[in-house]
Amino acid sequence: MNYTDLSAFEISQKVRSGEIKAVEMVEAALAQIAAVDGVQGQLDYKGQDPAQDDKVHAFISLTSDLARSQAAEVDRKVAEGDDPGLLAGVPLSVKDIFCVEHTHTTAASRMLANFEPPYTATAVNRLTQAGALLVGKTNLDEFTYGSSSESSAFQPCPYNPWNPKYAAGGSSGGSAAAVAARETPLSLGTDTGGSIRQPSAFCGVVGLKPTYSRVSRYGLIAFASSFDCPGPITRDVRDAALMLQAIAGSDPQDSTSSTVAPSDYRSALEQDVRGLRIGLSPDYGHISYPDTETGEISYQAIQREVSQAVFNAAEALARAGAEIIENVPMPNSRFGIPAYFVISRVEAASNLHRFDGVKYGFRTTHPFNDLSELYRLSRAEGFGVQPKLRILMGMYVSAAQHAANYYQRALKVRAMIRKDLTDAFNPKGAYRLDALLTPTTPTTAFKRNDVFGNTVLMQYSDQMTVCANHAGMPAITIPGGLDQAGLPIGIQFIANDFREDLLFRAGRAFETATASAAWRAIKPIVLSNQQVIS
Amino acid sequence: MTLEKITSELFEKLVELAQFSLDPAESEYLRSELNHQLAAVKELSEIPIDVAVAPTTHGLEVEGAASRADEWKLYPNPDSIIALAPESEEGMIAVPDVAANRKTAQ
């Protein structure tokens, strides 16, 4: 039995029954990390060792001792007949944007390189209380600001396990790569404009953005507070359901967490898709892209293999008994990125003003003449380029003389985007959808360094994901095939508020319908490299 | 409607408000990307928006927990928070002694 091929569900069953010990699972995960991950992300990395070129670099730090002590506790519970929890003995990684007491929590920024928070995020606490074993913190774009993980101050950044010359996506790139490379079966990410789903699609894994407010944000270092959603990254839909079950629910520490009771997501997995109405929208068949000098918009069809995978999925679901509804209009979806450019930057700028070199985090080591210079030097040296850009953009578009044209309009466009979706899901409306099926990304993974630096093009890679964030609705990406270059394709389902159960039903039905597809037998190249070496 | 772009002067003003100090290469890149991003959001000003559309700040309206009572509570371990500050004195975060640093600079 290869422990790292087991799903979280299988591990929890075997640990519970005593067939496997949790301490063995920790060692298996750490051995896999040692085999495939290479050097972990670090500040001022100058390494040029070619042996690192085909490694994954998913992690910034490992928490091996913590995982071992958590494993011993799970094994003790099993031995004494106590309930070891829903995720007993399952190795877990966590995006390094979640506070975990007594660990470094860096947000992939020099600003927080030495930050050890005095408390632990609610979502992380709930996972470890359910028996999951925290083995490490994964790399990401600095403060989550990007879609490739390349902007991390901790290099090397994560590489795509399917082809390390390609980006893992972002901002939860380390989490998606860690799950794809069998380092941990579960990873906790965050999704603000697509940061769980885009890297999950690029790395061929399952990623869920829950309904806004479904999972507590307590202990999450904030990007855009009205969008941020913690959520699961896993290898299959069942594990995503298990993980959401563990983390969903209200939290007195987060007054924006919903008091709506979570569904029984596990039982949703047992239901098929007969009678479900699944929509397709022509507005998700192309992307619009602005000329960066004139703002003129041009349209481009999405990658053919990606749109083909969506149609194949629709056919598979139709064969499984779902009703496919074509031509569902989403006329405002193309405004998703422009509106996000404005709202998310305003919120990011607001959240980053707290870093000043005085209260916590980085302080300049250079001499300064007054307090203002201390602020300026600390912020100039502590922040990388992307946080600076977001702060400047956020300040400009929310300035009193511009807010009516930008911020206030963007908030209205956000309402229009949500209305497209609520109309489609309205049980008395023309479409009465249970879920909308779309591509997750316009293309499969791009090469590292091809897009990085062009912040407009990078942001447009979230065009298919961002509308669910505007609307606050849940969305899931699921592997839907491989393109000609052997890179994974993601398909996305979006559902109405708090209907994650429908996403799991549709996703599970698709997995079952394609269980014997040839592409499912193909594994990421870093795993075959490993077999060649051993 | 023409939306103004970020001139060098305006950029310097923004940098000052943001409390940054930037080197020339960084400034050039940031100003160029800001202008590209503003071109990308130009579309927003051209979208026909019905006067009846109300802005939303959260997408869905959250049925959150009721606001907590406005009661003072003792944090169990304040030392752990103070310990995060680069400089502290007698249980308080200290603002740097500017005069001392000026001396160091000379």
Side-chain angles (χ1 to χ4, degrees), chain A residues 116 226 252 256 259 292-294 334 358-359 363 368-369 374 379-380 388 396 409 411 414 453 455 470, chain B residues 4-5 18 21 26 29 33 36-37 42-44 47 56-57 59 62-63 68 84-87 96 98 101:
Chain A
E116 287 191 20
S226 78
T256 63
T259 50
T292 51
E293 299 300 331
T294 65
R334 74 186 182 92
V358 172
K359 298 186 287 293
R363 168 182 291 188
F368 45 86
N369 284 307
L374 165 68
R379 287 164 68 84
K388 286 172 185 159
Y396 180 80
R409 282 187 79 85
L411 294 180
R414 185 173 187 180
T455 57
H470 280 300
Chain B
E4 66 178 298
K5 295 217 173 186
S21 60
E26 209 175 20
Y29 171 77
E33 286 300 309
H36 290 167
Q37 294 190 357
K42 175 169 164 258
E43 207 182 356
L44 275 184
I47 301 170
T56 179
T57 51
V62 178
E63 277 184 63
R68 284 190 294 254
L84 294 170
E87 204 179 333
V98 171
N101 275 284

Side-chain angles (χ1 to χ4, degrees), chain B residues 47-88:
Chain B
I47 301 170
I49 298 177
D50 192 294
V51 288
V53 174
T56 179
T57 51
H58 276 86
L60 82 162
E61 291 306 317
V62 178
E63 277 184 63
S67 296
R68 284 190 294 254
D70 186 13
E71 285 167 0
W72 184 88
K73 276 190 206 163
L74 189 65
Y75 187 76
N77 186 9
D79 290 349
S80 67
I81 294 183
I82 299 295
L84 294 170
E87 204 179 333
S88 66

Side-chain angles (χ1 to χ4, degrees), chain A residues 220-262:
Chain A
L220 164 64
I221 296 170
F223 162 10
S225 305
S226 78
F227 292 95
D228 294 341
C229 289
I233 297 175
T234 63
R235 287 207 308 276
D236 66 28
V237 171
R238 183 169 54 187
D239 281 0
L242 279 184
M243 192 166 164
L244 182 64
Q245 202 80 64
I247 60 180
S250 69
D251 174 14
Q253 303 278 26
D254 175 4
S255 63
T256 63
S257 65
S258 174
T259 50
V260 172

